[in-house]
Amino acid sequence: MKYGLIGGRLAHSYSAEIHAKIGGYPYELKELAPNELNAFFVPPAFEGINVTIPYKQSVIPYLTDLSPEAAAIGAVNTIVNRGGSLYGYNTDFEGMRALIERAGICVFRKKVLVLGTGGTSRTAVAVAKSLGAGEVLRVSRTAKEGAISYVAAARDHADAEILINTTPVGMYPETGGVPIDLAAFPRLCGVVDAIYHPLRTGLVLDAEAHGIPATGGLYMLVRQAVASAELFFDQPQPPEKTERIYRELLAEKRNIVLTGMPGAGKTTVGKCLAEKLGKPFFDADEEVLARIGVPIATFFATHGEAAFREEETAVIHALAGQSGAVIATGGGAILKEENVRELKKNGVLVFLDRDPAEIIPTPDRPLAAGRAALERLYEVRYPRYLATADRRVRVAGGDVA
């Protein structure tokens, strides 16, 4: 391996894609067990590597020298081989600082809680202090290494204003968890989550629900990668490259989720959109049909709506884990908050708003089989469609393309 990334679990890393966009050099992902670390470094056969969990501190004994930032933080995420001597850097520092500044979150003179005690938490502490934070406290389950416990954080530091998560809680594939209850901190004015997959973690969604400015970690990932490439080749990158790569990657990874009334054209629009964008397409109703094995109207008549919604939720959870897809949802998928939450983690919800007068009732839609039923359904659901959508698109006429 000439250039690449080492870590424990790398199956869902975006680093190779980012470095391909930076351009012109091979970049590999290499998973290492702890007992393989020594053989990898002695002797070193690489030119430049990135380091991720759990080795940001474990690699330090193999290095000839550390940059001032890496030495102060006590964690390394970038190593450059210069004639057999290994030099360690921490470009996560620049990445996290850029992430916070881009999100418009002001840390100056604020009380900051950093969740976690690993290498990224050390970086977050250093970044918060560099931005003029008034007080910075690390939080962990065991209150080790000078950190306070989660119980103590809620009890004694409810006046915290900024929260930075560096734990893996909420990271793919275990996206259901959140590391802390934001309701315990009524003065929060900024939430930063270093996790980038999913794009919006449960913590970020909770912050948004409370009206708190929040950001996930994708921009940090891109910025640290660009800074690493500058060190690999001792050559500065154009300042605008980080933003360009970030926007490209976000567009590639984010799902487009279509919501709206039965018959509004979600499937037709979705297929057309997927084809134009070169993305895979999934139809939630078709996935439910495959799961239940009978027509939806038959399932409704036999088992009832509640049982159908349970089957639909199982399908939504599976589809929400997709990356870079177009997803057409069933008309009632947004009725359950857990469905909306899952879909928003990796997706932008687009409400296709079609006048019910243009929708043709059909018997295969059990709740909208007749004109009067369809119009009542539209009236009842319309506020929910608006409330859950990130975007609203008015659809009219027969040409949905």
Side-chain angles (χ1 to χ4, degrees), residues 31-365:
E31 293 185 352
L32 294 175
N35 62 2
E36 296 175 313
L37 208 58
N38 191 68
F40 179 80
F41 279 98
V42 184
F46 57 84
E47 296 296 321
I49 60 168
N50 292 121
V51 182
T52 191
I53 297 171
Y55 300 127
K56 292 184 180 183
Q57 293 160 277
S58 306
V59 299
I60 292 177
Y62 297 100
L63 307 181
T64 304
D65 198 10
L66 298 177
S67 70
E69 294 85 1
I73 293 167
V76 165
N77 81 307
T78 302
I79 301 172
V80 179
N81 185 348
R82 297 191 179 104
S85 296
L86 301 182
Y87 295 84
Y89 302 87
N90 191 302
T91 63
D92 279 341
F93 179 93
E94 184 173 342
M96 179 163 285
R97 182 168 176 135
L99 174 69
I100 293 171
E101 291 177 335
R102 186 181 186 279
I105 295 173
C106 178
V107 176
F108 186 64
R109 293 184 177 176
K110 301 289 198 307
K111 177 182 277 192
V112 180
L113 298 183
V114 176
L115 309 185
T117 56
T120 306
S121 83
R122 294 169 180 264
T123 302
V125 169
V127 168
K129 289 180 177 178
S130 78
L131 292 171
E135 183 179 5
V136 184
L137 299 164
R138 289 200 297 166
V139 185
S140 78
R141 287 174 296 174
T142 57
K144 63 182 181 180
E145 300 178 21
I148 61 172
S149 69
Y150 282 84
V151 172
R155 182 189 64 221
D156 303 329
H157 301 283
D159 59 342
E161 297 157 288
I162 305 293
L163 190 144
I164 304 174
N165 178 47
T166 69
T167 77
V169 178
M171 184 169 67
Y172 186 87
E174 304 295 332
T175 64
V178 292
I180 201 164
D181 183 2
L182 298 185
F185 306 94
R187 293 183 59 184
L188 280 176
C189 56
V191 171
V192 177
D193 199 328
I195 293 172
Y196 59 85
H197 190 12
L199 299 171
R200 290 190 284 186
T201 60
L203 185 69
V204 169
L205 291 173
D206 285 349
E208 292 175 351
H210 284 84
I212 303 166
T215 182
L218 186 64
Y219 190 83
M220 174 183 172
L221 180 72
V222 175
R223 180 66 200 117
Q224 67 80 25
V226 173
S228 295
E230 291 177 333
L231 291 168
F232 291 164
F233 304 106
D234 194 24
Q235 183 177 356
Q237 295 286 336
E240 67 276 5
K241 179 168 276 193
T242 297
E243 185 69 23
R244 177 181 61 78
I245 293 174
Y246 166 75
R247 289 182 179 276
E248 287 178 3
L249 193 65
L250 181 63
E252 291 168 8
K253 298 300 180 183
R254 186 165 56 189
N255 296 328
I256 299 172
V257 181
L258 304 180
T259 69
M261 283 286 290
K266 300 184 295 295
T267 298
T268 305
V269 171
K271 287 179 177 178
C272 180
L273 191 60
E275 183 178 352
K276 286 187 175 182
L277 297 176
K279 292 176 177 287
F281 172 73
F282 298 92
D283 186 318
D285 278 349
E286 290 298 322
E287 298 292 326
V288 172
L289 276 170
R291 180 181 173 89
I292 62 179
V294 296
I296 290 175
T298 303
F299 191 91
F300 255 76
T302 305
H303 301 284
E305 183 179 0
F308 173 79
R309 296 299 173 203
E310 289 301 314
E311 299 293 338
E312 182 179 55
T313 293
V315 166
I316 291 294
H317 275 250
L319 292 180
Q322 296 293 327
S323 183
V326 177
I327 301 169
T329 62
I334 46 78
L335 298 177
K336 293 182 73 170
E337 184 58 37
E338 67 176 289
N339 291 348
V340 174
R341 185 177 176 88
E342 287 302 309
L343 289 166
K344 280 182 177 269
K345 286 179 180 177
N346 259 348
V348 55
L349 270 60
V350 180
F351 169 35
L352 297 188
D353 186 6
R354 183 185 288 276
D355 190 320
E358 294 187 358
I359 300 175
I360 300 172
T362 56
D364 62 325
R365 300 183 177 113

Side-chain angles (χ1 to χ4, degrees), residues 17-32:
E17 296 167 72
I18 295 170
H19 282 272
K21 291 177 183 296
I22 296 171
Y25 52 94
Y27 190 94
E28 303 175 40
L29 305 181
K30 188 173 185 65
E31 293 185 352
L32 294 175

Side-chain angles (χ1 to χ4, degrees), residues 361-392:
T362 56
D364 62 325
R365 300 183 177 113
L367 298 180
R371 172 62 56 193
L374 188 149
E375 290 181 354
R376 282 196 302 271
L377 196 66
Y378 180 84
E379 225 175 282
V380 170
R381 288 183 180 175
Y382 191 76
R384 181 65 177 167
Y385 287 132
L386 288 178
T388 56
D390 297 299
R391 308 276 190 279
R392 171 182 171 268

